[in-house]
Amino acid sequence: GAGVSQSPSNKVTEKGKDVELRCDPISGHTALYWYRQSLGQGLEFLIYFQGNSAPDKSGLPSDRFSAERTGGSVSTLTIQRTQQEDSAVYLCASSLWSREPQHFGDGTRLSIL
Amino acid sequence: AQKVTQAQTEISVVEKEDVTLDCVYETRDTTYYLFWYKQPPSGELVFLIRRNSFDEQNEISGRYSWNFQKSTSSFNFTITASQVVDSAVYFCALSEESNTGKLIFGQGTTLQVKP
């Protein structure tokens, strides 16, 4: 079946612009996670959604970052007023339930000029 | 506090050698889960294995084996008879029962297998 799908694959934007990254999880997976992978910080958790529960936003680095998950399926990660330190690969993962193995998408490589 | 340490940044071996990737973790939870993921040059993280804290049985899957020892808080990964296709970055990760299932990753070990 289809895996986790992320778009766009690559995004180049100017500092100060807003960006939206999209994640389409595996069908039937109730848990969805966003992570960020950068050279200096490794792989970091950003946010978690599980069904209709309140999301765990404890990993979001600043209030410029937000995410939503509509209808328990597709998720969008939004970064406002981008900064150069936001340059990274943003990874989305989904799992049947929390604590089950997570399956990752190919990521969105974000470059801030 | 939860933490995962992969002390080996890079390992280089010649094909057919055995190689062990080390992983040490810290957690206060009594129930937790440990994972290994592979990230080949193409970039996608591929799930390899999950163990829960109550199951210390070692696991073997083909050329891959995992050694989980709670006494030393370690979850090491061995590749037997390595192949060039095993070249990748390998991540060890921890998930705590008291948490939301989010993964705490180690810094990763880059494995290069030379022909």
Side-chain angles (χ1 to χ4, degrees):
Chain A
V4 176
S5 177
Q6 291 188 246
S7 61
S9 301
N10 288 280
K11 177 74 176 179
V12 181
T13 192
E14 292 179 350
K15 177 182 168 182
K17 301 284 189 184
D18 298 352
V19 294
E20 279 191 359
L21 312 180
R22 176 189 167 102
C23 172
D24 202 342
I26 293 172
S27 178
H29 281 194
T30 64
L32 185 148
Y33 303 80
W34 283 96
Y35 295 87
R36 178 169 72 173
Q37 185 172 24
S38 57
L39 276 175
Q41 301 298 322
L43 273 157
E44 307 172 276
F45 164 77
L46 296 177
I47 189 168
Y48 155 80
F49 296 92
Q50 170 71 57
N52 296 321
S53 303
D56 174 5
K57 304 178 183 180
S58 60
L60 295 178
S62 78
D63 58 9
R64 296 185 297 104
F65 287 73
S66 63
E68 62 177 20
R69 188 179 184 191
T70 52
S73 181
V74 171
S75 176
T76 303
L77 176 69
T78 301
I79 309 173
Q80 296 179 308
R81 304 180 303 282
T82 52
Q83 304 293 313
Q84 286 190 331
E85 62 262 28
D86 299 335
S87 295
V89 176
Y90 289 81
L91 294 164
C92 178
S94 70
S95 60
L96 269 174
W97 298 98
S98 64
R99 305 178 192 86
E100 290 293 311
Q102 295 173 28
H103 300 272
F104 284 79
D106 288 340
T108 294
R109 182 174 298 276
L110 177 63
S111 300
I112 310 298
L113 302 179
Chain B
Q2 66 272 39
K3 186 179 179 182
V4 176
T5 302
Q6 294 179 255
Q8 304 149 309
T9 306
E10 292 184 23
I11 301 176
S12 182
V13 300
V14 177
E15 210 170 17
K16 297 184 184 176
E17 283 186 25
D18 298 348
V19 58
T20 295
L21 310 182
D22 297 333
C23 173
V24 174
Y25 61 92
E26 294 176 32
T27 178
R28 291 180 186 157
D29 276 27
T30 54
T31 303
Y32 51 89
Y33 305 86
L34 297 165
F35 301 80
W36 276 95
Y37 281 84
K38 174 182 180 180
Q39 189 174 42
S42 57
E44 183 180 351
L45 276 162
V46 177
F47 165 74
L48 295 178
I49 190 172
R50 180 186 77 156
R51 298 304 271 174
N52 72 53
S53 52
F54 296 109
D55 184 1
E56 283 194 76
Q57 258 193 331
N58 290 331
E59 179 147 345
I60 298 174
S61 176
R63 296 183 297 106
Y64 294 173
S65 62
W66 291 269
N67 182 280
F68 175 29
Q69 292 197 346
K70 287 177 77 169
S71 59
T72 55
S73 297
S74 65
F75 185 44
N76 296 338
F77 173 29
T78 297
I79 302 175
T80 303
S82 59
Q83 299 176 1
V84 172
V85 293
D86 296 328
S87 297
V89 182
Y90 291 86
F91 291 94
C92 181
L94 165 72
S95 170
E96 296 172 318
E97 181 69 18
S98 62
N99 231 319
T100 53
K102 67 183 183 188
L103 295 172
I104 308 300
F105 285 92
Q107 288 299 100
T109 297
T110 300
L111 174 64
Q112 183 180 36
V113 182
K114 298 177 181 176

